[in-house]
Amino acid sequence: MEAEEAVAARNDFLAVMNHEMRTPMHSLIALTSILLRTELDSDQRAMIETMSKSSGLLSSLINDILDFSRLETGGLALDIGLFQLPNLLREVENIVRPLATSKRISLVMSLPPDLPESVLGDSNRILQVMLNVIGNAIKFTLEGEVRVSVHMGDKAPSMSVTQKSDQPLTPRRVLEHRYLHVDIIDSGIGIKAVDVPRLFNKFVQADSSTTRNFGGTGLGLAISRKFVELMGGKVWLESEGLGKGTTCKMYISIGIPESAKPKRNSPRLEQATPSELKDLKVMVVDDNPINRIVTRRLLDTIGCKSTVLDSGQKCLDILTEKGPSEFQVILLDLCMPEMDGFAVATEIIRKFGRTKRPVISALTANSDTKTRQRCFEVGMDYVLMKPINLELLKSELAKLVDFHEEVNFHDEFDTPSQLASNYTDEAGSSNQMSRYDIAPQPRSETVDEGGSSKDTSEDSREDSPAPQLLMPPKRELNSNNHREGDS
Amino acid sequence: MVSGRGVDEGVFFLFWQGILDDQFTQLQMLQDESTPDFLEEVVTLFFDDSVKLLENLSESLKADPLDYKVVDGHVHQFKGSSSSIGAQRVMQVCITFRHCCDNKDKQGCLDHLAKAKEEFNIVRSKLGKMLKLEKKIVDLGGVLPFMDC
């Protein structure tokens, strides 16, 4: 408690001193730069230049101390915004290259071709961290080279970040977060193994000679680590020992915003259509114009070839004209004026037989047991509930395709087939209703001059639904898509 | 840069109040670069179709004797359309409206017609405004925010 109070008191002090210290520093820096533009003799110029450098260093130190203090208390938030990553890296290079050149050491920066252009992050802090770690590498390299390698890594967890203004970022604007890796390898003085863990602590340098020989406050790495951790990342050093160079590795999480991807005004992420659904010929029969437009769009989006009709009679006319094998699936609304879905299904089966015809699925909002049972009784193969969403329709169509192939493969059979009907009741629980032993019906077909086949079996009864042969378990699909329905 | 914040808040409000449900999000997902006007098209069709359905309903409820099957047919259509659009409150009114038809409850039917008109006007007004705003944003080159239901 006392320690917390002491830290709070220190931070309050620093916050006040922030203004008190920075104001005179700014004056000092500004006035020395003005003086440098005036006529000065060589001694005066040398003195003013020293003053300028010193005030710059002191200003950096004050900034570092204040930053670190705020980082420790969590009082410093990232300033997230969109920025151009390649531009930032170029800026880093522009700043550090003269340092390397002045020391006659080689600086190699390699950037990958897949670097995203626009990213989301705190560009100033990323710049600060990179300048610190690359600057250190250059500082502690007397000869040889410094290599900076940047590459994109794996996906990172989404970060919930707030801007300085406490305006939460719209998470939707960031499609994904990924790690940005930066490795800096130098041929510098290296680090003793025992010193590596300490170097990220504040005010620590390798040893007392470092300050004397290289300067610095020892805050840079500590601040960098704090910022990197704020950015969901990590920074660490590796060295094989004194005289063997150092590798600094870091990674941070950056957002790849929507604008970096092809612009689209749809929340739908493109997903591959299963190949069996591509160009699948589906007929939709629904008297409701809204349903027709929506179902057509669903099917078009999936990649099916849809024929959308507003009446049962038109459905029968098209099937007669083009032949039943022209379509693989028929989605049939049930409640239609003049000819309802049950009548349409009955007529299709009567006219075209039980095989070599499209799979017939009801597409209905009626979820009651009686309706579903009646669908199966008239010979429909499936029941789909509406409204149906894109993903569910895809998966259910895939099942209908399988079913279509199965039904059309089995033309004849010698043995009785047992039929089990599965359906869900309104409470959503599975229920095995009944089993049927079906004797195979001798099936004969004549093909009329129009090319359509007609079942001329003795037991064919035009007025009642034909018994169902070789029926796989019938299921009411997408029952979790079920909405409150009427009885 | 054009902000979609107004659209974002408007859509959220419509979902939060139960005026729209997840089906509307499904429709949004069907719109893409190849069909940039899909949502507007289907919503406009819903508005036009619903106006006619409500007129038909009013007329059918004036008939003497009242044919509840005819009334039910219109309500069924309206229920189907509103369900396909995601106009949740309209759809819910239609469900209970159908019960009144089943029970041959004339007063119940009249009350429900008034309620259906009220809910339809709400969704037409709010959704219509939201779509106009969306269109403006897209025309100006903006990006739309999308709701996660």
Side-chain angles (χ1 to χ4, degrees):
Chain A
M1 188 66 159
E2 276 183 20
E4 280 174 8
E5 282 176 5
V7 167
R10 180 198 73 181
N11 293 332
D12 289 342
F13 169 76
L14 285 172
V16 169
M17 292 311 293
N18 175 19
H19 175 74
E20 301 302 328
M21 286 193 284
R22 279 186 164 144
T23 307
M25 282 312 311
H26 289 154
S27 303
L28 205 53
I29 292 166
L31 290 170
T32 48
S33 71
I34 290 168
L35 269 175
L36 281 169
R37 280 184 248 132
T38 62
E39 287 283 332
L40 299 166
D41 62 34
S42 55
D43 285 340
Q44 284 169 329
R45 186 162 291 279
M47 283 188 277
I48 303 289
E49 277 173 356
T50 305
M51 278 170 63
S52 177
K53 210 180 274 186
S54 301
S55 55
L57 283 169
L58 193 54
S59 178
S60 294
L61 177 61
I62 293 169
N63 288 339
D64 282 354
I65 291 169
L66 290 169
D67 273 355
F68 192 81
S69 170
R70 284 159 70 197
L71 278 167
E72 272 196 319
T73 58
L76 202 150
L78 295 173
D79 186 9
I80 303 292
L82 262 180
F83 67 95
Q84 302 298 306
L85 182 59
N87 289 357
L88 182 132
L89 295 171
R90 230 169 281 129
E91 197 182 336
V92 167
E93 189 180 352
N94 289 343
I95 293 170
V96 299
R97 189 166 286 287
L99 301 173
T101 307
S102 68
K103 293 181 76 173
R104 290 198 170 82
I105 53 177
S106 162
L107 174 67
V108 178
M109 284 195 61
S110 55
L111 308 180
D114 66 339
L115 210 59
E117 281 286 327
S118 238
V119 301
L120 217 58
D122 186 337
S123 58
N124 286 332
R125 299 302 182 186
I126 293 173
L127 180 74
Q128 185 178 350
V129 168
M130 289 194 67
L131 288 178
N132 178 252
V133 295
I134 298 174
N136 271 350
I138 294 172
K139 190 159 116 175
F140 292 105
T141 300
L142 304 173
E143 59 180 5
E145 71 170 6
V146 171
R147 291 187 151 277
V148 180
S149 153
V150 177
H151 64 274
M152 295 304 297
D154 296 334
K155 276 191 185 167
S158 289
M159 282 168 59
S160 160
V161 290
T162 52
Q163 291 177 322
K164 249 185 185 173
S165 55
D166 282 333
Q167 224 182 9
L169 275 176
T170 310
R172 276 186 304 280
R173 294 194 62 80
V174 180
L175 268 182
E176 60 176 15
H177 280 85
R178 288 182 67 191
Y179 288 117
L180 174 72
H181 291 259
V182 183
D183 298 338
I184 303 113
I185 305 166
D186 68 58
S187 56
I189 63 172
I191 311 167
K192 273 191 279 189
V194 67
D195 290 334
V196 169
R198 295 171 45 235
L199 287 175
F200 284 97
N201 297 336
K202 57 188 175 186
F203 304 121
V204 169
Q205 292 178 310
D207 60 43
S208 55
S209 68
T210 306
T211 317
R212 195 170 57 247
N213 296 330
F214 296 99
T217 58
L219 264 180
L221 281 178
I223 290 172
S224 295
R225 182 173 71 169
K226 289 279 185 194
F227 278 129
V228 164
E229 284 169 2
L230 261 187
M231 289 187 254
K234 205 177 158 190
V235 59
W236 70 100
L237 296 170
E238 294 169 0
S239 178
E240 287 178 19
L242 288 176
K244 293 185 179 169
T246 306
T247 298
C248 176
K249 290 189 175 186
M250 65 174 251
Y251 61 83
I252 55 171
S253 173
I254 53 172
I256 316 286
E258 204 168 281
S259 56
K261 304 242 171 175
K263 204 202 272 199
R264 54 182 178 83
N265 270 318
S266 164
R268 189 176 83 242
L269 297 175
E270 293 302 332
Q271 287 173 2
T273 296
S275 58
E276 66 267 27
L277 299 186
K278 191 93 178 64
D279 297 331
L280 182 74
K281 288 186 182 150
V282 182
M283 182 188 279
V284 178
V285 189
D286 198 318
D287 64 314
N288 187 305
I290 315 292
N291 293 344
R292 285 200 302 274
I293 199 175
V294 172
T295 311
R296 179 199 286 280
R297 185 71 200 120
L298 280 167
L299 292 168
D300 290 349
T301 304
I302 292 170
C304 301
K305 283 194 163 28
S306 60
T307 300
V308 181
L309 306 166
D310 62 6
S311 75
Q313 190 54 56
K314 284 184 185 165
C315 165
L316 295 170
D317 294 342
I318 300 274
L319 284 175
T320 305
E321 182 194 323
K322 296 194 173 179
S325 54
E326 176 67 12
F327 300 92
Q328 282 97 41
V329 175
I330 299 179
L331 300 176
L332 207 43
D333 182 30
L334 294 179
C335 300
M336 293 187 286
E338 289 165 21
M339 199 176 190
D340 65 20
F342 303 109
V344 175
T346 304
E347 191 57 19
I348 291 172
I349 292 165
R350 185 197 70 77
K351 222 172 163 176
F352 304 111
R354 287 178 289 281
T355 58
K356 292 209 180 356
R357 61 159 174 81
V359 168
I360 303 172
S361 174
L363 182 57
T364 177
N366 288 350
S367 58
D368 60 288
T369 311
K370 241 168 85 176
T371 301
R372 291 196 299 273
Q373 199 176 347
R374 199 174 159 208
C375 287
F376 298 143
E377 281 169 2
V378 302
M380 291 195 208
D381 305 297
Y382 267 77
V383 176
L384 289 172
M385 301 303 298
K386 63 179 172 187
I388 189 166
N389 66 44
L390 185 65
E391 288 313 306
L392 208 48
L393 182 58
K394 254 194 226 175
S395 63
E396 300 311 318
L397 277 175
K399 291 175 194 168
L400 289 173
V401 166
D402 286 342
F403 186 64
H404 177 258
E405 283 163 9
E406 211 176 300
V407 164
N408 281 275
F409 178 71
H410 291 281
D411 248 350
E412 296 174 1
F413 27 80
D414 301 322
T415 57
S417 58
Q418 287 212 320
L419 174 67
S421 261
N422 290 327
Y423 69 101
T424 56
D425 63 22
E426 282 163 32
S429 60
S430 244
N431 228 347
Q432 187 120 3
M433 188 182 176
S434 62
R435 287 170 182 242
Y436 298 95
D437 284 339
I438 306 287
Q441 303 298 316
R443 190 168 178 273
S444 59
E445 286 185 346
T446 54
V447 178
D448 64 24
E449 286 172 346
S452 56
S453 62
K454 195 176 172 181
D455 190 336
T456 54
S457 306
E458 274 184 30
D459 285 335
S460 165
R461 287 170 290 210
E462 289 186 17
D463 295 333
S464 56
Q468 298 182 35
L469 304 173
L470 191 69
M471 194 55 61
K474 288 233 185 81
R475 286 160 294 178
E476 183 206 307
L477 303 172
N478 70 307
S479 57
N480 58 354
N481 197 44
H482 153 230
R483 295 169 62 152
E484 188 180 343
D486 298 348
S487 54
Chain B
M1 186 175 115
V2 179
S3 166
R5 202 171 182 82
V7 171
D8 190 8
E9 286 165 354
V11 169
F12 174 75
F13 192 65
L14 292 174
F15 282 101
W16 186 61
Q17 286 198 314
I19 294 171
L20 294 178
D21 64 19
D22 181 55
Q23 178 60 19
F24 188 77
T25 312
Q26 298 298 325
L27 294 186
Q28 287 181 305
M29 288 176 71
L30 296 177
Q31 179 164 288
D32 57 24
E33 287 87 6
S34 66
T35 54
D37 299 321
F38 170 73
L39 198 59
E40 190 188 349
E41 193 189 328
V42 75
V43 169
T44 305
L45 183 61
F46 168 68
F47 290 162
D48 295 342
D49 195 55
S50 299
V51 165
K52 286 191 205 122
L53 275 170
L54 286 166
E55 278 169 11
N56 291 342
L57 263 170
S58 291
E59 286 308 307
S60 64
L61 281 168
K62 287 178 189 161
D64 191 14
L66 218 164
D67 188 341
Y68 286 98
K69 234 178 145 184
V70 169
V71 177
D72 184 66
H74 294 314
V75 179
H76 173 75
Q77 278 283 331
F78 198 23
K79 176 178 158 273
S81 308
S82 54
S83 170
S84 291
I85 281 288
Q88 185 177 228
R89 287 193 345 204
V90 175
M91 186 200 69
Q92 282 165 350
V93 171
C94 290
I95 289 170
T96 48
F97 199 154
R98 289 194 84 186
H99 293 154
C100 296
C101 295
D102 290 343
N103 296 334
K104 295 185 166 52
D105 173 6
K106 183 170 180 178
Q107 191 52 51
C109 287
L110 288 167
D111 292 342
H112 275 79
L113 175 62
K115 188 77 183 142
K117 281 181 178 171
E118 186 189 330
E119 290 297 341
F120 170 68
N121 285 332
I122 290 171
V123 76
R124 179 169 57 169
S125 163
K126 291 183 191 283
L127 192 51
K129 272 189 200 147
M130 195 209 77
L131 285 177
K132 275 198 184 117
L133 182 55
E134 271 193 0
K135 194 167 160 47
K136 208 171 163 184
I137 290 168
V138 170
D139 288 346
L140 290 171
V143 177
L144 299 174
F146 293 107
M147 262 319 285
D148 294 323
C149 274

